[in-house]
Amino acid sequence: MGKCEFVDELNKLRKSSNESIDNIGKFDDFKAYMHISRPVEVDLKVILKKINESGKKTLVLLCGSAGDGKSHLLSYLKNLDEEKLLDGYCVYNDATESSAPFKTAIETLNDVLNGFSDANINLPGQNIIMAINLGVLSNFIESEYGKQYAMLREYAMKSNILTSQINENIYDATSSFQHVSFSDYHMYYLTENGVDPQFISDILSKIFTNNEKNPFYECYQSKCAQCPMALNCPVRHNYAFMSEEAARSFVAEILVKTTIKDKEILTTREILNYIYDIIVAHDFSYKKLADASVNTEDYLKEYIGGITPSLMFDYGDLSNLMNFLREYDPLLVRTEIADTMAIFYYVSSDISESIKEAIGGSAYSSVLCTKESLNKLNYNRALKAQMFNILVRISKIMNAENSDKVYESFLKDLYYYNSGKKGKLQSIYDMVEKGVVQWCGSEADSNIRLSESKGFELYENVKFEAFLENVPSSNGDNSLQRFTPIIMLCFEDVKTKEIISLDIDYSLFELISRLNDGYVQTAEDRNNHADFISFVSKVLKTGSASENIMIVSENGKRAILDKTKFGYKFKVVR
């Protein structure tokens, strides 16, 4: 036997596999099994029903990014939807597909959309629905051909399709254009208690659930179980490990974290490819594994390097997503308890009990908890160090506790903002005010430092007036899937009524939180947060500097410079 049929089955998850490409012509059993109904599908169906009832020639744009599931959804609706909502539509899975390879994407799009140009839009014709990337749509509208599609351009601008603003997918009976954008839908729900990664969890369940309809599980049970290496195969054990609810929850959690903290764009295709990468080592070879099995030490090195806790964090540059997720390696979390555990582990002459306690109930125990393996792990320093990493990671994966208080606070405030709970936003407004004061510096009377020169510092009084009219309206939902990933706080200059806004993403929230704890910003912070510097500058302009300022000398003496009707008045106060 020279290959692994189970790995061949898992290969369907990879971006490079044929199964990752959807087309109108077929929607096979595998794609049907992997289909997960999402709110974007529900909303699109509502729009299609209204279009079909109206009888009006319509162009439906299914917008988003590469790999997010646009083509899959169109193929599903075309082939398996019982309501046959796309009957009579001209369906384009890829807006840039062309039978004329010498044409550019923009030229192809112009040909496809000709019936919806300004000159032809009121003429009879066929409905069109197309999957189109936001970048392609933007380029087309701005191209020379865009001049012939002023009505399409107006619709795109009015609907905010090309902006980060959340759009309401409301059917417009007066328009010949309708749209649904995948970019408006997150892969998780936002609640007051954090996130609910339902869609990601559904994907993981599709792959790892113990169900005979699951092609991966069926192969795992039949072909994989018959393999001579089955009892010692890391791939088989990885699949069993990921069948555990705790392991899947951990993966879903870090996938959500990277979208929020790192702004990584997460698509269905990327998630499936990542799952493959943490199940099958990039250099997996049945022959190499079989050859290594004749020597316990060689085999253990190969095995430990190929199990999921290693694949998650030890291999960079397989994908951008993998690189981001390495930041969430439990080994990077330094605590006193972790340090004590490490010391105890490395000075111990027998780590058998530590290993059994950590992985005794997992799929890996059949290999790592045998008497022969434990003996090698005890006395081979390289294997012992490799094994320590596994113990720390498995312990975190199987017993995950969210101890990231800043992250939890951000999610809570993000929910309050997007759900329109204005009364709950006071804490973040207070936090920003305190952050500005810490950034600039202050003195005893809570005045904010304007500037400093040799021997003197200038201070002014600033009143922070919260402005809440920009906060989204409350829709009464306790669980949000369509929301903006930033918190836009606004303050009002009480004198000029000017509105000063600040967009807070997780990175800036984290900085402001640290400022609240007394942190002093660095040059790197100033380089990374020019938006905050600009906000602070605007806030300082609303202060009392035009009427009075406080001057503090290096020896602590203070004076006030007041502007009066007769000029400036200087008074020493200390």
Side-chain angles (χ1 to χ4, degrees):
M1 183 175 181
K3 68 172 186 175
C4 177
E5 293 185 67
F6 187 43
V7 170
D8 289 343
E9 184 70 25
L10 291 169
N11 192 64
K12 293 178 179 179
L13 302 173
R14 303 180 73 184
K15 287 193 291 186
S16 57
S17 72
N18 292 332
E19 281 74 13
S20 71
I21 301 172
D22 290 280
N23 58 67
I24 291 297
K26 67 173 186 175
F27 198 80
D28 59 26
D29 292 342
F30 175 72
K31 288 185 172 61
Y33 171 76
M34 291 299 293
H35 179 74
I36 299 170
S37 182
R38 300 171 61 184
V40 63
E41 176 187 330
V42 175
D43 290 348
L44 177 59
K45 283 184 174 181
V46 170
I47 290 175
L48 291 174
K49 289 176 184 177
K50 291 184 177 179
I51 292 172
N52 296 343
E53 290 169 0
S54 74
K56 185 174 185 177
K57 185 181 80 170
T58 304
L59 168 64
V60 183
L61 300 174
L62 189 56
C63 309
S65 304
D68 56 12
K70 299 183 299 297
S71 296
H72 173 86
L73 177 54
L74 287 185
S75 294
Y76 171 79
L77 292 176
K78 183 67 177 176
N79 292 281
L80 288 189
D81 178 40
E82 295 180 354
E83 296 179 87
K84 303 296 182 184
L85 295 175
L86 291 186
D87 281 2
Y89 279 75
C90 186
V91 181
Y92 289 90
N93 261 12
D94 183 348
T96 60
E97 280 184 349
S98 174
S99 57
F102 56 85
K103 288 189 176 184
T104 67
I106 300 302
E107 290 172 333
T108 300
L109 200 50
N110 179 57
D111 291 342
V112 172
L113 297 180
N114 182 57
F116 290 88
S117 66
D118 297 341
N120 299 325
I121 196 166
N122 292 320
L123 299 178
Q126 190 175 21
N127 288 345
I128 292 178
I129 183 169
M130 67 162 53
I132 184 168
N133 288 352
L134 290 170
V136 173
L137 178 61
S138 177
N139 291 338
F140 178 74
I141 288 175
E142 298 300 328
S143 72
E144 58 179 316
Y145 296 106
K147 298 174 184 177
Q148 304 169 36
Y149 296 85
M151 296 178 71
L152 173 59
R153 177 189 178 91
E154 181 183 358
Y155 174 79
M157 297 299 108
K158 182 180 70 173
S159 303
N160 292 307
I161 298 176
L162 302 175
T163 71
S164 59
Q165 182 175 333
I166 300 301
N167 309 299
E168 291 295 329
N169 290 331
I170 299 175
Y171 173 74
D172 184 354
T174 66
S175 178
S176 297
F177 306 103
Q178 309 293 337
H179 85 281
V180 172
S181 179
F182 270 74
S183 61
D184 288 341
Y185 298 80
H186 295 275
M187 292 193 170
Y188 57 92
Y189 288 91
L190 182 65
T191 74
E192 187 171 5
N193 297 316
V195 296
D196 174 11
Q198 181 176 322
F199 179 64
I200 299 175
S201 296
D202 287 345
I203 292 177
L204 290 165
S205 293
K206 283 282 185 181
I207 298 168
F208 297 107
T209 187
N210 296 346
N211 186 325
E212 295 300 333
K213 294 182 179 180
N214 176 359
F216 301 107
Y217 180 71
E218 194 280 328
C219 186
Y220 168 81
Q221 286 287 78
S222 57
K223 303 293 177 61
C224 184
Q226 297 173 11
C227 174
M229 290 296 297
L231 296 178
N232 301 305
C233 178
V235 176
R236 179 173 174 81
H237 294 165
N238 288 340
Y239 185 84
F241 178 72
M242 286 301 300
S243 297
E244 297 285 342
E245 182 66 33
R248 298 205 301 269
S249 295
F250 179 83
V251 169
E253 177 191 337
I254 62 173
L255 285 171
V256 170
K257 275 189 175 180
T258 198
T259 68
I260 295 173
K261 289 189 172 186
D262 309 310
K263 296 184 177 179
E264 173 71 352
I265 297 175
L266 202 61
T267 65
T268 304
R269 189 179 299 168
E270 288 290 345
I271 293 174
L272 294 175
N273 192 76
Y274 171 72
I275 293 171
Y276 176 87
D277 285 338
I278 64 173
I279 298 299
V280 184
H282 70 283
D283 58 350
F284 174 81
S285 163
Y286 176 87
K287 183 178 184 304
K288 184 170 66 171
L289 185 66
D291 290 345
S293 64
V294 300
N295 180 287
T296 303
E297 290 187 4
D298 290 344
Y299 169 70
L300 284 175
K301 181 179 179 181
E302 188 75 25
Y303 181 86
I304 294 173
I307 61 178
T308 294
S310 294
L311 299 180
M312 279 185 178
F313 304 112
D314 286 342
Y315 299 92
D317 300 325
L318 292 179
S319 67
N320 286 333
L321 179 58
M322 289 285 281
N323 287 337
F324 277 119
L325 291 175
R326 291 180 72 191
E327 298 176 13
Y328 304 102
D329 187 346
L331 290 172
L332 299 179
V333 180
R334 294 294 303 273
T335 65
E336 186 176 342
I337 294 176
D339 290 343
T340 301
M341 174 185 171
I343 293 171
F344 176 80
Y345 178 88
Y346 282 108
V347 301
S348 176
S349 59
D350 188 352
I351 57 173
S352 300
E353 291 306 315
S354 296
I355 294 174
K356 290 178 181 178
E357 182 179 350
I359 66 172
S362 76
Y364 306 123
S365 62
S366 63
V367 170
L368 297 176
C369 291
T370 66
K371 184 176 180 179
E372 186 178 7
S373 293
L374 290 172
N375 183 56
K376 295 295 183 183
L377 292 168
N378 267 313
Y379 296 106
N380 184 304
R381 295 179 62 183
L383 286 175
K384 185 176 182 178
Q386 200 178 3
M387 193 63 210
F388 177 75
N389 295 347
I390 297 299
L391 298 185
V392 173
R393 289 165 176 166
I394 285 185
S395 177
K396 176 65 175 178
I397 291 171
M398 302 307 288
N399 304 282
E401 293 182 5
N402 195 350
S403 57
D404 192 339
K405 300 304 180 184
V406 175
Y407 178 66
E408 289 180 350
S409 295
F410 177 73
L411 292 178
K412 194 174 290 289
D413 286 330
L414 186 65
Y415 170 77
Y416 289 150
Y417 172 77
N418 280 283
S419 60
K421 299 185 183 299
K422 297 180 181 180
K424 299 279 191 176
L425 293 174
Q426 181 175 347
S427 62
I428 190 172
Y429 272 92
D430 291 344
M431 189 174 81
V432 169
E433 180 177 345
K434 188 175 178 180
V436 171
V437 173
Q438 175 65 15
W439 181 277
C440 299
S442 63
E443 53 87 52
D445 292 333
S446 299
N447 291 312
I448 298 178
R449 184 168 60 194
L450 272 170
S451 63
E452 60 180 314
S453 57
K454 189 174 182 180
F456 294 96
E457 293 179 337
L458 303 181
Y459 293 85
E460 69 169 345
N461 183 264
V462 176
K463 292 183 178 180
F464 292 83
E465 188 68 31
F467 181 84
L468 301 174
E469 298 307 310
N470 67 293
V471 177
S473 301
S474 174
N475 58 12
D477 289 346
N478 294 321
S479 183
L480 310 175
Q481 193 191 37
R482 302 178 68 226
F483 57 89
T484 174
I486 62 170
I487 304 168
M488 187 172 78
L489 295 194
C490 292
F491 294 85
E492 183 177 17
D493 184 339
V494 294
K495 293 178 291 187
T496 66
K497 301 304 179 183
E498 177 189 0
I499 304 302
I500 304 168
S501 63
L502 176 65
D503 290 342
I504 304 177
D505 58 10
Y506 176 79
S507 177
L508 182 53
F509 185 92
E510 184 180 39
L511 173 63
I512 295 172
S513 180
R514 294 173 70 189
L515 289 169
N516 273 242
D517 291 334
Y519 173 75
V520 177
Q521 73 271 18
T522 64
E524 183 179 2
D525 294 322
R526 291 188 285 272
N527 290 334
N528 293 338
H529 296 286
D531 51 345
F532 188 64
I533 293 175
S534 175
F535 169 75
V536 170
S537 177
K538 291 176 182 178
V539 167
L540 292 179
K541 290 179 181 178
T542 71
S544 64
S546 61
E547 299 170 358
N548 64 76
I549 59 173
M550 173 78 71
I551 305 170
V552 181
S553 66
E554 59 184 354
N555 61 9
K557 291 185 178 180
R558 299 191 302 168
I560 296 177
L561 185 64
D562 283 319
K563 182 180 180 181
T564 70
K565 293 181 179 180
F566 305 101
Y568 290 93
K569 181 179 179 181
F570 184 83
K571 180 174 68 174
V572 176
V573 295
R574 182 186 294 171

